[in-house]
Amino acid sequence: MAVQPWGASGPGDPDRRPDGGRTPAPAPQAGFPAGMRAGHADRDRTIDVLKAAFAEGRLSTEEYEQRHEEAAAAQTYGQLAGLVADLPIGPMPAPMAFAAPPVPATFLPPPPPPARSINVLAVTSLVFGLTGFSLPAVVVGHVAKAQPSRRDRDGDWMATLGLVFGYAGCAFWTLVLLVLLRVPA
């Protein structure tokens, strides 16, 4: 007695049809009774499942050809269901990937430093220097230069620029006053 690849016995099997085809155990497909007649679209769907199984290596060439012929000749849902009963229908879920264990804190990069705020006095010094208020720019610039180190704020470059503009403005106004106050000889 020959055993078929999908589990049916050979010629002496009571489930075999006289023409040599296999009569599968009735199994409802998509909620329909096994004896309900199948249409072309139903046979095409079954053949698609067989093609996928063959492409995945689940069926040999001989098994695929034999089942393909039987699917083309199938008359009922039960016959079609029996051809794919031992095959997965649709994509199989991917095996669960194991999550990597967490990295110890020792090997993690250090967190970025928090953003530093800008010193308001440095901004004020720069604005005073750019608008021509030279003396306030110098005073506020010196106070601002002392603050970033104590309060952990950015703005040292603005305080420096405010001092440069402030001293340049003070020098300019000093020259203007000297020229205006110049006593004729």
Side-chain angles (χ1 to χ4, degrees):
M1 200 189 297
V3 176
Q4 298 296 327
W6 55 88
S9 301
D13 186 14
D15 288 338
R16 299 279 291 179
R17 291 193 311 237
D19 62 351
R22 180 174 166 265
T23 305
Q29 179 180 352
F32 295 109
M36 184 176 278
R37 292 186 63 85
H40 295 297
D42 302 317
R43 285 186 278 280
D44 290 341
R45 280 191 292 270
T46 303
I47 290 172
D48 287 342
V49 172
L50 293 173
K51 285 179 186 177
F54 177 68
E56 293 170 353
R58 297 178 193 277
L59 296 175
S60 67
T61 306
E62 296 81 27
E63 290 173 311
Y64 170 73
E65 290 173 356
Q66 183 179 5
R67 289 187 190 198
H68 186 277
E69 290 172 9
E70 289 184 27
Q75 297 294 318
T76 65
Y77 279 109
Q79 291 171 336
L80 293 175
L83 294 173
V84 294
D86 60 338
L87 300 174
I89 298 176
M92 294 295 291
M96 287 184 49
F98 294 102
V103 176
T106 308
F107 299 110
L108 292 176
R116 294 172 39 174
S117 62
I118 296 175
N119 189 346
V120 176
L121 291 176
V123 174
T124 306
S125 172
L126 180 60
V127 170
F128 279 157
L130 290 172
T131 56
F133 296 103
S134 305
L135 191 57
V138 170
V139 172
V140 174
H142 279 292
V143 173
K145 289 285 278 181
Q147 283 191 348
S149 61
R150 286 185 282 157
R151 295 193 182 167
D152 194 33
R153 292 184 175 178
D154 282 334
D156 190 45
W157 66 273
M158 286 186 270
T160 303
L161 208 54
L163 283 171
V164 168
F165 286 127
Y167 278 122
C170 285
F172 172 75
W173 288 114
T174 302
L175 287 175
V176 167
L177 284 174
L178 287 176
V179 168
L180 290 178
L181 295 176
R182 183 171 173 220
V183 179

